Amino acid sequence: MRNSGVSHSAAGGHMRDDERVVREILIPALREDAWRAVTEPDGVAAWLGGDAVLEPRPRGTVRCRRADGTRLEGVVVSVTAPIRLVLLWAEARRGAAAEQRDPSGPRLAPELVEASRVEIVLLEDPEGTRLTVTESRVGAEGGWFLPATGPTSALAGAGS
Amino acid sequence: MGPDDRPERGGPDGRVDRVFTALSDPTRRAVVRLLADGPATATELSERLPVSRQAVAKHLSALDEAGLVASSREGREVRYRLTPGPMAEVASWMAEVGAEWDRRLQALRRHLSR
C-alpha cells in the first residue's frame, strides 16, 4: 500500500487544502466487482464495519465506526459507478455523548463539527483494480462544516 | 510508502519523520486528542485513558522528544500542552485517518479475495 499526500509544512500556516491522507491499493479483481464490494451492503459491512451504512446515491447516508468505536456520520456527495464515490463525513463524538445523557433527546448536539471529504476512485489495471482513497479535511476555510445534527441536504451539492 | 514521498516527509532535521513515528502509536494519538482540549497532567490523562499514569508519562516523553508537547511544572505535577502551531493536531489527524484507511482497505481486499 502506498501512502502519500503528507504535504504540509511544520513551519507553515494551517493549510487546510494540504491536510489530506491518500492511500492506494491494488485489488486483484475486476473494477465492477471492486465497485460492488465498495458500495453494496455485503462489502460495506466488510470494509466499513458490520453496522455501517452506505447508500451509494447522492445525498445517501453514510454511517460507520472507527476502530476506537467513535462514530462517523455523513452524506454521499456524488456517485459515478463504477469509478468514483465522493462523500463527506464527520465524527459524531459530541452526539454520542449527548445520546448517552438523554437517549430520547436530540441525537446530536447542535454544535458544528469539522468534516472530511472522502474520494474513492477505482481505475482499471492490468493486475486488477487500482483503488485510491483521498480523505481531505475541510473546515471553515473550505466553507464546509457538517452540522452536527447529521447529514443534511444542504451538504449534498458540495464537493462533487 | 513510496520513495517520492521522502522529500516531503524528511526535511533537514527529520522532524516530520519523528512526528509520524511518535504518532504511530494509538495511545499517543489519543493523548494528543485529549491535549487538544487543553493542558493536562499525566495523572489527569491516565484517568481518561485505559493505561497507567506511568505508561502515559512514557508516551508524553516520546511526544515531547518529537516536539509535539511541551511541559511546565506546577507544584508536584507536570502539566503538558500541545506545542503551538498546527503540527501536532494535524499530524495526529493524518496518522489516525491513515491508520483507519489501512485497516479498511485491507478488509476490502480480504473481502474480495474470498
Side-chain angles (χ1 to χ4, degrees), chain B residues 3-36:
Chain B
D4 52 335
D5 297 325
R6 286 171 203 222
E8 286 176 335
R9 294 195 54 187
D13 59 4
R15 181 179 173 203
V16 177
D17 279 337
R18 283 209 302 278
V19 165
F20 277 86
T21 302
L23 290 172
S24 62
D25 181 280
T27 305
R28 280 181 220 143
R29 295 199 296 270
V31 168
V32 169
R33 271 205 304 277
L34 290 175
L35 288 176

Side-chain angles (χ1 to χ4, degrees), chain A residues 24-32 34 122-132:
Chain A
E24 192 178 277
I25 187 173
L26 183 62
I27 300 170
L30 293 173
R31 179 162 68 176
E32 284 68 20
L122 280 70
L123 296 176
E124 288 177 331
D125 185 279
E127 295 173 51
T129 303
R130 192 165 295 279
L131 184 153
T132 306

